[in-house]
Amino acid sequence: MNSTWKWKTWGTVFAVILSVYLLVPTLFNFKTRFPDADKKPAWAKLFPEKSINLGLDLRGGLYLEMLIAVDEAIDNRIDILTLEIERQSKDKIEPVKVNSFKGEKRATLEFPAAKASEMDALLKENFNDVFSIARGEAPDTNTTVYNLTLTKKYEKYITDNTLKQAVESVRNRIDRYGVSEASIIQQGSDRLIVELPGIDDPTRVIDLIRKTALLEFKMVDDSLGDGLAGLVAKAREEAGIKEGYTKEDVDKINVQLKGKIPEGTEVVFELRRDPVTKEIIGGAPLLLKTRAEVTGDMLRNAQVGVNNNEPHVSLSFNKVGTTNFGELTKKNVGKRLAIVLDGVVFSAPVIQTAIMNGEAQITLGYGDYQNLLKEADDLALVLREGALPATLTVASKTVVGPSLGLDSINQGMMSVVVATVVIIIFMVLYYKLGGIVSTVGLVLNMIFILAIMALLQASLTLPGIAGIVLTLGMAVDANIIIFERMREEIRADRSARAIIENGYGHAMSAIIDSNVTTLIAGVVLYQFGTGSIKGFATTLMIGIVTTMFTAITVTRLIYDYYVHVKKVKQITI
């Protein structure tokens, strides 16, 4: 007898006992029965805290695929950069005229030709790595024009940062909402995958996640007066734009009004809502300066306040924001300043006096007190956690109810049981003793898979159950290869020992090849898949490892026991 047989046997027995030990918290549902770890009975404390988690499709929850408008983030960054150029040059070079071109990743600077050397030095010293700079002469010979195009390196830097910031912002918002076991991952160059188990109000969560919370303070341009409403109505009629206020509608209106409104301005709507239902019932167009002088990036804090039984959000700016807000209000006393959140004007009050203390307030209008308070809470939360760097849109959404998840669990478990029983019946009928041996390996294989999942606290998903069923078939396939090789040895009239030695030896290469190639496929699925696909890949990879152990080692131990301990002289397959 092989001298390692006893060690392998005791090792297998130990693995089975350890696996059952690891599975007890899952089998007896410790998480539900003992939610407070400190109040668990003494016997329950003997077992580990770890157990198998149920995936989104089995537990119920929300699955979202969201697109990130990366180009929008690039446009915003160009606005900030050109504003910085203006600030740095204002003491030496005036006037400087800045034009940024949305979607083209470029801007132009116009300034007196006599100041070209100063501007050259400023751009070279501070913005050489950011922009590709080309200088030209304007038709007016007293003016110099710079064409600034974002460099590929800096564009990639903005894109990478935008994606990271989007992931972190969404994660922070969800964490503050109180969702446990949430999964937020980046996919590709413009997509987020969000999985939230156990959500009972998916609409509110989606609103919370997708709210860009892009806060901007922009000056109102009243040069067109009451004529603006007529221009907007005519633009809608000419371009066939429906009566709506979505971002797409507003963008189309601004494209249609190009050349008809002052350069460097855009139309933004101040919406009117029903005080009870909060549905949009109308909107008034305002002409705003395109560039924002103060943004949400400069916020220090945002908190909910109540004044005369009306909830509002109080804002306080950091040092830079306080300075900018003070300068903005100081030089524009008597003019209107619009507070714009996510492309919609919240209010546009007249600046009565310079505001140098760095504090502002967003009012939420009238309506049900509790709803307004909840709206103020959500707004303060997203402003505190930071604005999203770009707009998020929902590309796809799946909401799985708890009852559907329970049905999925029951049907999935039924499929595993049926598959196991059918395989066992076939193997016993076709391979007799070999079928019984493979059945033992099959049962142990299932125990090992679930125990490893509990140890890793892996999530069991519906595709994961499919992976387990597939693994069972692969485990039996390995046994079938071994048994067929053993039959060849039986036909060659070998001894029982030679049948086992040669049967396992000749089958080994084929078993290893098939399992290694499947393992590679599982690794690729896990690396590039999401959510339920990862669940499938996880159970598949774990199953391959346990299959190799049970099909080769465990079944071999049983045959060795018959030959070396029971002294069986004839093997039947």
Side-chain angles (χ1 to χ4, degrees), residues 343-387:
V344 173
V345 176
F346 255 63
S347 61
V350 175
I351 301 173
Q352 302 292 348
T353 181
I355 304 172
M356 308 305 290
N357 62 357
E359 293 185 353
Q361 194 176 91
I362 298 177
T363 54
L364 302 175
Y366 301 96
D368 180 79
Y369 177 80
Q370 290 301 327
N371 288 337
L372 288 176
L373 195 59
K374 185 185 293 184
E375 188 180 345
D377 277 336
D378 288 350
L379 179 57
L381 188 154
V382 296
L383 290 175
R384 273 199 309 271
E385 297 303 332

Side-chain angles (χ1 to χ4, degrees), residues 111-113 116 134-147:
F111 52 92
R135 193 170 80 177
E137 298 295 333
D140 176 1
T141 54
N142 292 323
T143 303
T144 295
V145 179
Y146 276 121
N147 287 304

